[in-house]
Amino acid sequence: MTLARLAALHGVATSYAPSADRTVPVPDATVVAVLAALGVDAATPEAVSASLDAAELAVAARLLPPTVVHWQDPDPDPPPPSPPPSLAALPPGTRVRVEVEGGGAADWTAAGGKAEEAGEAAPWPDLPLGVHRATARTPDGRTARTTLVVAPDRTPQPPARTHGFLVQLYSLLSARSWGMGDLGDLAEVAGWAGRSVGAGFLQVNPLHAAVPGTPTDPSPYRPSSRRFPDPVHLRIEDIPEYAYVRERKRLDELLKAADALRRSVLDDGELIDRDAVWALKREALEAVHAVPLGPGRRAAYCDYLAHQGQALEDHATWCALAERYGPDWTRWPGALRDPRSAATARARRELIDRIDFHTRLAWLTDTQLAAAQRAARDAGMAVGLVHDLAVGVHPEGADAWAQQRTFARGMSVGAPPDAFNARGQDWGLPPWRPDVLAASGYAPYRGLLRDLLRHAGALRIDHVMGLFRLWWVPRGEEPTAGTYVRYDAEAMLAVLVLEAHRAGAVVIGEDLGTVEPGVREALSRRGVLGTSVLWFERDWEGTGRPLPPAAWREACVATATTHDLPSTAARLTGEHVGLRHRLGLLTRPLAEEQAEDAAEVGEWLAYLARLGLLPEGARGEEGAVRAVYRFLLRTPARMVGVWLPDAVGDRRPQNLPGTWDQYPNWRLPVAGPDGRPLALEDVVSSPRLHGLMRVFASGPDTAAAGVRTRTAPPGARPT
């Protein structure tokens, strides 16, 4: 019980409930290891007792938590503002000074007792939105400082209804790409989608900086840095200085090599080779970097450096040190493992040219991201680009080095065992320490959000449940031996809502999988949209049948699939089951899996037909895909996302969870039904795509003239 009390004080769970009727205890060894990662000694009974006494004493003596949240009243004519509860609970007569973000100060005295009788109590000041610092001093001389986050009640909201595309940027190569999709392609797709098919948004995979290596980890969800984009996405020819490079012969050779690389993917069916792309781009960027910036460009670059400050310097320093010592900072010479050591300071001076190279790349990538968002807005998109925030970072990367005191050592983020994965999951991503985040006023989190939202109309947050709690797995243990660690969800949400408000951006939470009670409601209350995928939307508490479209939630992005799931064509034809069988991933006999899958698809096709959404009949794959999206349009969802491969009949998943080298995750170009890669120009001119887009132009209830709707028999599949 003593260990449980100690764990509870630090937000560490000693049990979890995988279902409403089952509770699983967490091994004591796990609790001890997680507490150690939080700086709490629980190695022996004596240590547990001493740590508990210290923790309880600290709680009793604490005047204020390290971060306080104050939600701004949305009422246009509110009553006089009142202080947040933690400040209202201060002893009567406590004086509070708030240093306002951006300058200025405000004073307030806690009401009650002698202060109120003497007329010293004052109304709570009408503070502006922002992150402020508050200092409290009690009548008996005790003091406390806290970060005060004043946030609006809700995030900005999308239009009443908009649709858009979900795109893995690397997979969409144009005739100008250097072997993988780039930011020039992103701007082109945005301009086309907004003008030609009325799309309101374009959601892309995380564009975070990757950890270099041989080979580089292709997953966009294990980045080196979440704050800075990867220059591999640059369109080289769009950099103004490119035109002034003197070594034109070498640039021409690089262009020919890039053309060959692109053709190997589009014409020969080779996989996307990110490392080969970067090798070519890096050499070109070295030549571009030798060209002096003009006065206006240099002023813009200096503004960017000033805006990013220490975070960018740390990122570029890591990049420069990684060139010399390798990408795993835990293997660097001892003193260089500390970003604030004297040795690292000397290295910064010695490597100043390389650091400037990497800061310049970050700036160039930022400018092209800005151009892509401008292209989206200029094309009439109501939202524009939707960027994706990965749940964590690579343990060997730049963020883990620069912010290592913020991360929990020896821990990895994952997921507990559930109905879909009995062994649980370990994602290999170190978690942020909730105590250090709170003590910093959530500074790393605020900086991360602010940078991601610079050129975004919306932000998708992968595994948004991590704002509330994360499953920590001690290093070397199976995922089943992990436990949940809780974060201050109110503070995390307040920072998120504030930064989204400042950027005028929508927020989308990926809330699929195990979601504890109350989380979706809390997110919805703050305006964070959820994610609803057709195949998962069933009446789980009743009949178990497909959820009627009117019963879907409004505050969501509705889609047919995601990057981790089969494409709609693969789902409808059952090809995803065959793929998993060939890779040895099935846990039951093939015939049994196929029968269950066919029954599920048949049930959906029959339901779509009964709703009048399948005028083409049950025996047409294209018609069935259109019916799925007609269904999504019947839901009240504010945003409807079209998985771009669905529009051209691609049957291959971009990522197949549970595989590493058995399947080419994150390396496939968009392809047609026959598996032949399609260039961006082929995708946007595809008759199949335009047939699907007519569904969005005409609405969900338009049926072909003279075509009678038929009900598909159970188990039927489109051909």
Side-chain angles (χ1 to χ4, degrees):
M1 287 297 293
T2 304
L3 179 62
R5 286 165 55 201
L6 179 62
L9 285 172
H10 293 279
V12 180
T14 54
S15 66
Y16 68 98
S19 59
D21 58 347
R22 182 167 169 252
T23 299
V24 177
V26 173
D28 285 354
T30 295
V31 176
V32 170
V34 170
L35 285 170
L38 292 169
V40 180
D41 185 3
T44 65
E46 294 76 17
V48 170
S49 180
S51 294
L52 179 60
D53 289 344
E56 291 179 335
L57 184 62
V59 169
R62 189 178 70 185
L63 275 177
L64 290 170
T67 298
V68 172
V69 171
H70 184 57
W71 297 103
Q72 190 181 69
D73 196 321
D75 190 332
D77 186 23
S82 58
S86 55
L87 290 174
L90 288 169
T94 298
R95 297 180 183 274
V96 177
R97 163 150 284 213
V98 179
E99 300 167 43
V100 177
E101 178 185 359
D107 296 298
W108 174 76
T109 302
K114 295 180 180 179
E116 194 168 36
E117 294 171 8
E120 296 176 352
W124 178 251
D126 188 9
L127 295 171
L129 297 174
V131 180
H132 316 304
R133 291 293 294 171
T135 302
R137 183 179 296 275
T138 65
D140 61 5
R142 290 179 295 155
T143 61
R145 288 178 62 83
T146 187
T147 299
L148 176 60
V149 180
V150 180
D153 188 63
R154 289 167 61 82
T155 62
Q157 295 298 290
R161 164 59 64 85
T162 186
H163 69 273
F165 290 102
L166 316 179
V167 181
Q168 299 287 295
L169 179 58
Y170 60 84
S171 73
L172 194 59
L173 293 72
S174 73
R176 297 174 63 189
S177 305
W178 285 31
M180 61 182 281
D182 61 33
L183 292 172
D185 296 325
L186 182 61
E188 291 288 348
V189 173
W192 162 81
R195 290 185 173 88
S196 299
V197 295
F201 66 92
L202 189 62
Q203 179 180 307
V204 294
N205 56 283
L207 303 181
H208 309 319
V211 176
T214 307
T216 299
D217 186 340
S219 172
Y221 291 93
R222 290 194 69 193
S224 171
S225 173
R226 295 189 292 176
R227 184 162 181 171
F228 298 101
D230 198 308
V232 76
H233 299 113
L234 282 168
R235 169 66 62 83
I236 302 296
E237 299 92 324
D238 287 353
I239 301 171
E241 290 73 33
Y242 174 84
Y244 301 98
V245 173
R246 293 184 178 180
E247 297 295 329
R248 305 307 303 181
K249 180 179 179 181
R250 182 54 187 152
L251 282 187
D252 289 342
E253 292 172 348
L254 290 174
L255 284 171
K256 289 180 182 178
D259 181 67
L261 192 57
R262 179 180 61 252
R263 291 180 182 278
S264 73
V265 175
L266 295 177
D267 298 340
D268 302 333
E270 298 291 334
L271 298 177
I272 292 170
D273 188 341
R274 181 191 181 105
D275 293 333
V277 173
W278 177 235
L280 296 177
K281 288 191 176 183
R282 182 185 181 119
E283 186 172 349
L285 288 166
E286 296 280 5
V288 169
H289 186 250
V291 177
L293 295 173
R297 293 271 290 168
R298 175 152 292 281
Y301 177 44
C302 290
D303 281 351
Y304 179 75
L305 292 176
H307 174 79
Q308 296 295 344
Q310 185 70 57
L312 177 59
E313 184 178 349
D314 285 344
H315 174 70
T317 300
W318 180 90
C319 292
L321 289 170
E323 289 177 338
R324 177 170 291 186
Y325 299 107
D328 183 356
W329 64 269
T330 65
R331 297 177 181 271
W332 292 352
L336 294 179
R337 298 174 196 171
D338 180 357
R340 304 291 168 253
S341 71
T344 300
R346 287 193 298 272
R348 290 183 199 270
R349 292 191 293 271
E350 294 168 5
L351 298 171
I352 187 64
D353 290 340
R354 298 311 300 163
I355 291 173
D356 182 65
F357 174 70
H358 291 290
T359 55
R360 182 91 65 91
L361 296 191
W363 171 61
L364 292 173
T365 313
D366 182 80
T367 62
Q368 291 195 5
L369 278 170
Q373 174 64 355
R374 282 196 304 273
R377 288 297 178 86
D378 290 347
M381 285 191 174
V383 175
L385 300 184
V386 181
H387 288 298
D388 196 350
L389 173 60
V391 70
V393 295
H394 199 291
E396 299 170 6
D399 284 2
W401 175 73
Q403 302 172 21
Q404 56 193 271
R405 292 174 178 82
T406 308
F407 290 98
R409 294 186 178 183
M411 294 290 141
S412 176
V413 174
D418 57 26
F420 299 100
N421 194 327
R423 297 181 60 185
Q425 300 175 57
D426 182 346
W427 302 329
L429 310 170
W432 267 337
R433 283 181 54 166
D435 56 331
V436 176
L437 274 182
S440 72
Y442 294 86
Y445 180 49
R446 286 188 277 120
L448 170 61
L449 292 174
R450 196 165 298 177
D451 274 353
L452 285 173
L453 290 166
R454 278 169 59 83
H455 310 303
L459 179 66
R460 174 192 181 270
I461 300 181
D462 191 41
H463 193 70
V464 73
M465 297 82 78
L467 300 181
F468 296 77
R469 64 179 186 176
L470 281 172
W471 185 257
W472 288 21
V473 181
R475 182 179 299 157
E477 299 292 338
E478 292 293 323
T480 51
T483 189
Y484 280 114
V485 176
R486 193 159 293 282
Y487 292 75
D488 184 343
E490 184 178 40
M492 298 284 276
L493 278 173
V495 170
L496 174 62
V497 172
L498 173 63
E499 295 302 335
H501 171 83
R502 286 170 158 167
V506 176
V507 178
I508 302 159
E510 186 271 295
D511 56 352
L512 304 173
T514 302
V515 185
E516 66 177 321
V519 166
R520 287 195 174 105
E521 292 77 7
L523 293 169
S524 179
R525 186 163 60 251
R526 298 303 171 197
V528 178
L529 305 185
T531 302
S532 292
V533 178
L534 179 125
W535 305 100
F536 300 154
E537 293 297 319
R538 289 178 172 271
D539 181 12
W540 297 111
E541 297 181 359
T543 64
R545 294 174 181 169
L547 196 66
W552 282 44
R553 53 183 170 169
E554 178 183 353
C556 77
V557 176
T559 184
T561 189
T562 74
H563 59 264
D564 284 334
L565 296 172
S567 70
T568 303
R571 175 79 71 167
L572 292 168
T573 59
E575 289 195 16
H576 69 109
V577 178
L579 173 62
R580 293 180 64 82
H581 171 66
R582 291 192 296 275
L583 296 176
L585 299 176
L586 297 183
T587 58
R588 295 181 297 172
L590 174 62
E592 188 177 331
E593 294 272 3
Q594 288 176 325
E596 181 177 294
D597 183 66
E600 181 182 12
V601 171
E603 181 183 31
W604 268 105
L605 289 174
Y607 187 45
L608 295 172
R610 287 198 301 274
L611 293 175
L613 302 178
L614 198 54
E616 299 91 346
R619 291 194 171 278
E621 179 190 303
E622 286 189 53
V625 171
R626 292 174 192 170
V628 164
Y629 284 97
R630 289 188 184 108
F631 179 94
L632 296 179
L633 285 172
R634 273 205 182 176
T635 72
R638 298 291 290 273
M639 300 172 72
V640 176
V642 179
W643 178 238
L644 186 64
D646 276 357
V648 292
D650 196 342
R651 298 185 179 185
R652 306 163 309 165
Q654 282 294 316
N655 179 50
L656 191 59
T659 63
W660 176 243
D661 56 0
Q662 308 98 312
Y663 185 80
N665 296 318
W666 317 113
R667 289 174 288 168
L668 292 171
V670 173
D674 58 359
R676 188 177 71 82
L678 298 176
L680 184 156
E681 293 82 359
D682 299 322
V683 170
V684 302
S685 63
S686 164
R688 179 165 177 154
L689 180 147
H690 286 277
L692 178 59
M693 288 299 99
R694 283 194 289 273
V695 168
F696 288 83
S698 57
D701 297 314
T702 300
V707 177
R708 187 173 52 140
T709 300
R710 298 182 305 197
T711 300
R717 287 193 179 281
T719 57

